[in-house]
Amino acid sequence: MARDSSLCIILVSIYILAWLSACDGNIPVGNCSESDREALIDFKNGLQDPHYLLSSWQGSNCCRWRGIGCDERTGGITSIDLHGDFGIPSLVRLKSLRFLDLSSNNFDGIPIPEFVGSLENLRYLNLSIAGFRGTIPPNLGNLSNLQYLDLSSSYSLSTNNLGWISGLGSLKYLALDRVNLSMVSSMWISVLNWFPSLSELHLAGCLLSGSISSPGLVNFTSLAVLDLNFNKFDSKFPQWLVNVSSLVSVDMRFCGLYGRIPLGLGELPRLQILILSHNYYLSASCTQLFQGSWKSIEVLDLVSNKIHGRLPTSIGKMTTLSNFDLSDNLVGGGIPSAIGSLCSLVNFDLSNNNLTGTLPEILQRGSEICDSQSSLPNLRYLRLSNNRLRGYLPSWMGQIKNLEDLTLDDNFLEGPIPSSLGTLKNLISLDVSFNHLSGILSEEHFASLRKMKFLVLSSNSFTLNVTADWMPPFQVIQLKMGSCQIGPSFPAWVRYQNEIGSLDFSNASISGPVPSWFWNISSDLSNLNMSLNRLHGQLPNPLPVARFAYVDLSSNLFQGPLPVPISIVEALDLSNNQFSGGIPQNLRKFGPLNFLSLSSNRITGGLPESIGEMQLLQVINLANNNLSGSIPPSIGNCSLLEVLDLQNNSLSGLIPASLGQLQELQSLHLSNNKLSGDLPSSFKSLSRLETLDIGNNLLNGTIPAWMAEGFIKLRILSLRCNAFSGEIPHQLSSLSSLQVLDLAENNLTGNIPSSFGDLKAMVEGQSRIEYLFYGRGSTYYEENFLVTTKSQPQLYTKTLSLVTSIDISRNNLDGEFPEEITKLAGLLILNLSRNGIGGQIPESILGMSQLASLDLSSNGLSGAIPQSMPSLSFLSYLNLSNNNFSGKIPYTQQMTTFEASSYYGNPGLCGAPLNVTCPADEPDKPRTTEDGGIDNEFIDQWFYLSVGLGYAAGILVPAVVLHIKSSWADAYFDFIDRIARSWLLIGNRRAKLRRNRRQGRR
């Protein structure tokens, strides 16, 4: 007894529920036995009760004590309801106990007491979430009268064997939620199949795994509720469930199920709830699955699976359906108008599918069937985002009077928003962002939206037209109107939004200063985006923003010194403005930032050492400023850094070796500075690096071969315009992800490695756009890179993932053009110009089928231009000038698109487009004839040349004339007509003269 007391002295409050009577549930009025009273007194004495929670436990009749229930006839204690926070007594002497509820206590990790298994009359036992820990005692299987058992825990209880359950022959309700069953045999379902009276089975989050085996002959004749959610099965959907006709609710979300959903589920007569969401690989055809009866269905939740096909019109027969959620699937086709028949529908969610067509017209039919003034009278949530829906928003949306959430973002909807939406008094959330909607939004559109909290209209072409003194009827929490025309002046009505926490006015055509009253609002904003406007003036310093806010004021005309946030923020983007001065020396004032972008300003001075104290930073973008001095080694302490962009500054000195500590670094831009020395060997640890851009510096040494082993994910490598020397390491060819290789303008020597033909990403090419973004939340860094193509630098951002390029121009390379390089079928740009490369271009260059730009100028290449080159149909830039090519230019197909300048400086070349006739094409020497053939032939050539020129002019000039001035057309064609008649007359005379001469010779 002393041992039990020492374990259970816990101070708590007791919540007493209506206790159960053994007979009919009435409040007990009998007297308890002396032995039962003594057992309870012993229990009380074993507790500390400073708050006198058991003060009613006095007197001889313990049946009247709080929390105690007795049998009316015998006075035996039948129930103890002490759920709340309490300790557990030694209650073994209460032989009549039938109801024991000790749930929601805190027993501080003690095991479930063994004596509970000896309370043989128990029918109800609830020990859930009570702080017990360890193995479930097998002697609980002795409770043969037990009907209700709940041992749900927080992963603190476990059992290796469910065999003890077989002794609970009367069991109707079993809950073992979050009990660790990971070591239980996969035959657990067969054990439970022996309980024909079991009506509810709850095994959520039990770490069950493997296959859900078939129990053989299904004995679940009473099973109504089956809850297996959040387990780790790797199993096909259990087909045998279609034979359990008593099922009312099935919850198997997040279970790792795959395979086809059996169609027989639709024929279960009592099934009301079916939740199979987030299994990811469950599949079914909509047309087949929803053809079933579904007589009683209320909830169909199949989110995040592989449901496919079109929704059939038979969906309109599910008259009891209230929640229909097929979001994140592969549903295609249109939305059937039959949904208007679903009078009980509360939630309709088909977001993130492949829906097409227009929104159906359902108004009249639905209102007739539902005997209501509108269709879908109970609908509160309509979510169709991220599909391919087109057309206008139908007017019936404004008549769904109970609608609270309308989400239609990321579609192709067009036209205006019906003003009838402004009458939806219950509307809380409206999101139509990222569509092609347009038109004027007036005060009428918002007239009755008093409950509106989330208004998202971004990325459309709306124009807001409200009066200067408009006061919106709503108080929103989130207001996003990016890319809507709100300006030209800052909207005064925002002043009255007292609850706003997220504001997006980006690209909203707002100009002028930010009014001073706005900064009183901003201190409550967790998300502020006013980028891409023409706002100017100085920002308050310190900048009033909310704690942990995301702040984006980029691409404006703000001036003055950099403002420091008044409180810690998570993201700060002040790029593309006119801020000047230096970066504050104590960057800790900015707080624990994870995103900092100050690029494209007029910032001077050096990088402060305190930048190394910003250890949560993921993105540092200080590009395009006037920063000087060296890169502080302390940046190596920013262990979470993914992007470091310092390009286009005046930084000097060595690249600090400490950058090699940045294990998460994926993008490093140091180009266009004055950095010197070697590439640090510590960089070989940057195994996640995708972009290394250190061009246009003063770096020297050799290109290290360890790059091939260290940079296994590298996409972009630029060392251009430095002083690197030595040979190009052939090991670089093992960089399987490399798409852009730029080694131009160095002092490299030797041959081009033949192994470059093995660069996998250039062999296969890139056919899928992959947006290269870094960072978290609503602010991000977009990868960018200047690729030299057609002798001009071109900045790539969103399509950078498609670019493949090799530029080794302006070096001292020699050797022959490597035939192996022609295996790069996916290469778009190849520039080997201004080297000493010799040999011939191989005919196999035809294999470079995607080549768009080829520059081999200023080398020592010789021989003929391959006859296969005209077949390079994507080639749009060609420069073969200043080599030793000879022979006739293959001037056909794609080669006819290039001018003579592409071939200048090759004395041995001839043929079009050069004005050099090839020897084989020279005409025979002119012959002297009796009729003066030389003169006549010259006249004939001039005649046909004139006709040819006239023909060209006749085609081109009228087009120009007609576009310039139609009144000139008559005069022009009259002139052409006279010229044609003159030439026709001359031609006839010449023909007549020749005939006469021939007749005279005869």
Side-chain angles (χ1 to χ4, degrees):
M1 187 68 176
R3 178 178 178 274
D4 288 341
S5 298
S6 66
L7 292 172
C8 305
I9 301 175
I10 303 172
L11 303 177
V12 294
S13 58
I14 304 177
Y15 301 92
I16 307 299
L17 297 178
W19 46 81
L20 299 178
S21 171
C23 299
D24 55 9
N26 296 324
I27 297 176
V29 294
N31 292 322
C32 65
S33 67
E34 184 64 23
S35 61
D36 287 355
R37 180 179 176 277
E38 290 178 358
L40 292 177
I41 291 298
D42 287 343
F43 164 49
K44 178 182 177 182
N45 292 337
L47 299 172
Q48 293 182 357
D49 188 16
H51 300 288
Y52 304 104
L53 301 174
L54 299 181
S55 59
S56 69
W57 284 27
Q58 297 179 4
S60 60
N61 189 1
C62 58
C63 292
R64 297 186 180 274
W65 295 355
R66 296 180 63 183
I68 305 301
C70 296
D71 187 297
E72 284 186 327
R73 182 173 56 84
T74 66
I77 294 178
T78 58
S79 67
I80 298 178
D81 189 348
L82 298 177
H83 81 280
D85 286 327
F86 221 97
I88 189 168
S90 180
L91 301 177
V92 67
R93 288 178 286 171
L94 300 179
K95 299 298 184 181
S96 301
L97 196 63
R98 298 180 182 179
F99 181 102
L100 179 59
D101 187 346
L102 297 174
S103 62
S104 301
N105 277 287
N106 181 9
F107 293 117
D108 200 25
I110 67 170
I112 296 176
E114 291 283 341
F115 75 82
V116 176
S118 64
L119 300 174
E120 57 188 27
N121 288 313
L122 274 181
R123 296 182 181 177
Y124 181 102
L125 177 60
N126 191 347
L127 305 180
S128 63
I129 319 300
F132 292 117
R133 184 176 297 276
T135 303
I136 297 173
N139 69 345
L140 291 185
N142 298 333
L143 304 177
S144 58
N145 293 311
L146 200 64
Q147 298 178 7
Y148 183 105
L149 176 61
D150 191 345
L151 300 178
S152 301
S153 73
S154 299
Y155 298 105
S156 57
L157 290 174
S158 64
T159 183
N160 297 339
N161 192 331
L162 291 180
W164 55 270
I165 293 180
S166 60
L168 308 179
S170 303
L171 201 61
K172 295 181 179 179
Y173 181 102
L174 176 62
L176 300 177
D177 294 340
R178 293 171 301 282
V179 172
N180 187 344
L181 303 181
S182 60
M183 301 302 293
V184 167
S185 165
S186 61
M187 300 304 294
W188 57 269
I189 195 69
S190 298
V191 175
L192 299 172
N193 188 43
W194 290 103
F195 296 90
S197 59
L198 188 65
S199 63
E200 294 197 30
L201 176 60
H202 299 267
L203 299 177
C206 289
L207 305 180
L208 290 165
S209 60
S211 177
I212 302 177
S213 58
S214 173
L217 180 63
V218 177
N219 201 31
F220 290 116
T221 56
S222 302
L223 190 62
V225 177
L226 177 62
D227 186 355
L228 299 176
N229 74 78
F230 282 92
N231 279 289
K232 301 190 299 182
F233 300 118
D234 182 13
S235 173
K236 288 187 176 181
F237 190 92
Q239 298 283 334
W240 52 267
L241 283 179
V242 300
N243 298 321
V244 185
S245 59
S246 56
L247 280 174
V248 174
S249 174
V250 175
D251 187 348
M252 300 177 73
R253 75 189 91 172
F254 289 99
C255 274
L257 301 177
Y258 62 90
R260 297 191 65 82
I261 299 173
L263 304 181
L265 290 176
E267 305 304 328
L268 293 176
R270 300 178 57 196
L271 190 63
Q272 298 175 14
I273 300 172
L274 179 62
I275 303 177
L276 302 176
S277 61
H278 296 92
N279 282 289
Y280 306 112
Y281 294 101
L282 281 176
S283 65
S285 163
C286 287
T287 306
Q288 296 176 346
L289 185 62
F290 300 130
Q291 289 288 356
S293 300
W294 302 101
K295 292 180 180 179
S296 305
I297 198 68
E298 296 178 8
V299 175
L300 263 174
D301 183 350
L302 306 178
V303 176
S304 295
N305 282 291
K306 294 288 188 288
I307 313 300
H308 55 87
R310 303 173 65 97
L311 289 174
T313 56
S314 58
I315 194 176
K317 296 186 296 184
M318 301 182 192
T319 56
T320 57
L321 191 63
S322 63
N323 185 344
F324 187 68
D325 195 341
L326 264 67
S327 56
D328 292 293
N329 277 286
L330 303 172
V331 182
I335 301 172
S337 59
I339 66 166
S341 305
L342 303 179
C343 307
S344 300
L345 195 62
V346 174
N347 176 45
F348 187 73
D349 193 341
L350 287 172
S351 302
N352 301 308
N353 278 284
N354 298 320
L355 296 174
T356 57
T358 60
L359 293 167
E361 184 58 54
I362 65 174
L363 184 63
Q364 181 176 357
R365 178 183 178 186
S367 58
E368 292 174 354
I369 294 175
C370 298
D371 192 22
S372 170
Q373 293 182 350
S374 68
S375 293
L376 305 171
N378 295 298
L379 189 65
R380 295 167 58 190
Y381 310 99
L382 178 57
R383 298 169 178 141
L384 301 172
S385 63
N386 197 18
N387 281 284
R388 292 180 287 166
L389 296 169
R390 299 182 178 274
Y392 285 24
L393 295 181
S395 59
W396 56 260
M397 286 187 171
Q399 300 188 39
I400 308 177
K401 299 304 180 184
N402 289 309
L403 196 62
E404 297 180 11
D405 185 343
L406 178 58
T407 305
L408 303 172
D409 59 287
D410 286 284
N411 279 286
F412 299 94
L413 300 170
E414 56 186 307
I417 290 182
S419 59
S420 59
L421 288 185
T423 66
L424 297 177
K425 298 180 180 180
N426 293 306
L427 196 62
I428 296 174
S429 177
L430 173 64
D431 188 349
V432 293
S433 59
F434 295 95
N435 277 285
H436 302 310
L437 298 168
S438 59
I440 295 175
L441 295 177
S442 65
E443 297 175 20
E444 183 181 3
H445 287 86
F446 309 102
S448 299
L449 305 183
R450 293 179 178 83
K451 294 185 178 180
M452 180 69 69
K453 294 297 179 184
F454 304 92
L455 179 60
V456 185
L457 307 174
S458 300
S459 298
N460 286 288
S461 299
F462 294 124
T463 299
L464 187 65
N465 184 14
V466 296
T467 58
D469 58 351
W470 180 54
M471 293 186 63
F474 48 73
Q475 288 289 330
V476 290
I477 297 173
Q478 185 178 90
L479 178 61
K480 294 189 175 183
M481 303 182 74
S483 299
C484 300
Q485 185 159 341
I486 302 173
S489 58
F490 200 93
W493 52 269
V494 178
R495 186 173 191 171
Y496 308 106
Q497 295 301 302
N498 301 321
E499 300 177 14
I500 192 167
S502 178
L503 175 66
D504 181 359
F505 277 172
S506 61
N507 192 26
S509 303
I510 306 174
S511 58
V514 179
S516 57
W517 54 258
F518 176 77
W519 301 115
N520 296 326
I521 296 174
S522 67
S523 59
D524 295 323
L525 294 175
S526 60
N527 194 325
L528 171 60
N529 188 349
M530 294 198 298
S531 62
L532 297 163
N533 285 290
R534 294 189 64 80
L535 298 167
H536 60 73
Q538 289 195 13
L539 295 176
N541 199 358
L543 185 65
V545 290
R547 287 173 62 86
F548 306 111
Y550 285 78
V551 181
D552 187 352
L553 301 176
S554 63
S555 301
N556 280 287
L557 302 171
F558 291 120
Q559 299 175 335
L562 289 170
V564 177
I566 198 170
S567 59
I568 57 178
V569 295
E570 292 200 22
L572 181 64
D573 191 346
L574 301 177
S575 61
N576 292 290
N577 278 285
Q578 298 174 11
F579 293 111
S580 57
I583 299 174
Q585 290 300 306
N586 187 3
L587 283 174
R588 282 179 295 182
K589 294 180 180 179
F590 285 78
L593 282 169
N594 60 44
F595 184 99
L596 176 63
S597 180
L598 306 176
S599 65
S600 301
N601 279 285
R602 300 171 182 173
I603 302 172
T604 57
L607 288 171
E609 280 286 340
S610 61
I611 199 167
E613 300 175 18
M614 313 287 286
Q615 296 185 14
L616 297 181
L617 273 171
Q618 296 170 348
V619 172
I620 299 176
N621 185 3
L622 305 176
N624 306 312
N625 280 290
N626 298 312
L627 295 170
S628 57
S630 60
I631 300 174
S634 61
I635 290 185
N637 297 328
C638 301
S639 57
L640 299 180
L641 202 62
E642 297 178 4
V643 175
L644 177 60
D645 191 343
L646 302 176
Q647 63 183 313
N648 299 317
N649 280 285
S650 297
L651 298 168
S652 58
L654 302 176
I655 298 176
S658 62
L659 296 188
Q661 300 169 196
L662 302 175
Q663 300 293 311
E664 301 298 320
L665 196 64
Q666 298 179 62
S667 178
L668 177 61
H669 290 271
L670 302 176
S671 60
N672 291 291
N673 280 286
K674 301 174 183 177
L675 300 170
S676 58
D678 295 341
L679 192 65
S681 60
S682 62
F683 273 31
K684 67 176 66 175
S685 300
L686 302 179
S687 59
R688 293 174 60 86
L689 200 64
E690 296 182 0
T691 297
L692 177 59
D693 176 15
I694 54 176
N696 291 281
N697 279 288
L698 304 174
L699 299 168
N700 54 33
T702 59
I703 300 175
W706 52 253
M707 281 186 174
E709 298 178 3
F711 301 155
I712 56 176
K713 294 185 177 181
L714 201 66
R715 295 171 179 264
I716 298 169
L717 174 60
S718 175
L719 309 179
R720 76 176 293 129
C721 201
N722 279 285
F724 287 107
S725 59
E727 296 188 353
I728 301 173
H730 67 86
Q731 291 92 339
L732 294 183
S733 60
S734 64
L735 294 172
S736 60
S737 300
L738 193 65
Q739 296 175 215
V740 176
L741 176 62
D742 192 346
L743 307 178
E745 300 186 55
N746 280 283
N747 299 319
L748 300 173
T749 57
N751 300 338
I752 298 174
S754 60
S755 60
F756 274 12
D758 299 327
L759 287 165
K760 184 177 179 181
M762 301 184 191
V763 172
E764 299 175 352
Q766 307 299 311
S767 59
R768 183 172 62 89
I769 293 180
E770 181 180 352
Y771 295 121
L772 305 178
F773 295 151
Y774 304 101
R776 301 289 184 273
S778 58
T779 51
Y780 56 85
Y781 174 91
E782 183 178 47
E783 186 60 276
N784 62 94
F785 185 72
L786 276 172
V787 178
T788 301
T789 176
K790 303 178 182 179
S791 297
Q792 296 293 328
Q794 181 171 338
L795 181 65
Y796 287 89
T797 53
K798 291 182 173 61
T799 59
L800 180 57
S801 64
L802 300 178
V803 177
T804 51
S805 170
I806 294 179
D807 189 347
I808 323 180
S809 61
R810 297 175 183 263
N811 278 284
N812 300 314
L813 300 173
D814 52 25
E816 295 189 350
F817 185 101
E819 184 171 1
E820 290 82 0
I821 208 168
T822 63
K823 295 190 295 183
L824 302 180
L827 190 66
L828 301 179
I829 301 165
L830 178 61
N831 189 349
L832 306 180
S833 65
R834 298 179 183 270
N835 281 286
I837 302 170
Q840 299 184 4
I841 302 176
E843 285 287 342
S844 60
I845 196 170
L846 176 64
M848 306 180 78
S849 56
Q850 301 298 313
L851 204 59
S853 176
L854 177 62
D855 190 345
L856 303 178
S857 62
S858 300
N859 276 290
L861 294 164
S862 59
I865 296 174
Q867 295 297 314
S868 61
M869 285 192 66
S871 298
L872 297 176
S873 55
F874 290 101
L875 197 63
S876 59
Y877 177 81
L878 176 66
N879 191 350
L880 303 180
S881 63
N882 299 309
N883 278 284
N884 297 314
F885 292 115
S886 59
K888 185 176 182 180
I889 298 171
Y891 194 66
T892 61
Q893 296 173 268
Q894 195 68 14
M895 300 292 277
T896 62
T897 63
F898 305 119
E899 299 179 354
S901 58
S902 296
Y903 309 100
Y904 285 164
N906 289 279
L909 284 178
C910 61
L914 296 176
N915 191 23
V916 178
T917 303
C918 294
D921 296 333
E922 291 183 358
D924 295 335
K925 290 183 178 181
R927 292 171 296 147
T928 302
T929 61
E930 296 178 1
D931 58 354
I934 294 178
D935 291 337
N936 288 337
E937 194 140 322
F938 173 78
I939 294 173
D940 286 347
Q941 290 175 3
W942 173 250
F943 172 76
Y944 290 119
L945 175 63
S946 301
V947 171
L949 292 172
Y951 178 78
I955 294 295
L956 298 176
V957 175
V960 177
V961 170
L962 290 174
H963 279 287
I964 295 175
K965 194 169 184 180
S966 58
S967 62
W968 294 353
D970 293 339
Y972 169 77
F973 286 116
D974 181 65
F975 170 74
I976 292 298
D977 185 59
R978 289 198 304 272
I979 293 296
R981 283 199 301 269
S982 298
W983 280 111
L984 184 61
L985 180 61
I986 291 173
N988 289 337
R989 288 177 178 175
R990 286 172 55 81
K992 184 176 181 180
L993 180 61
R994 284 179 176 175
R995 285 197 302 270
N996 291 338
R997 285 179 176 175
R998 283 196 296 271
Q999 290 174 356
R1001 286 196 297 269
R1002 291 174 184 171

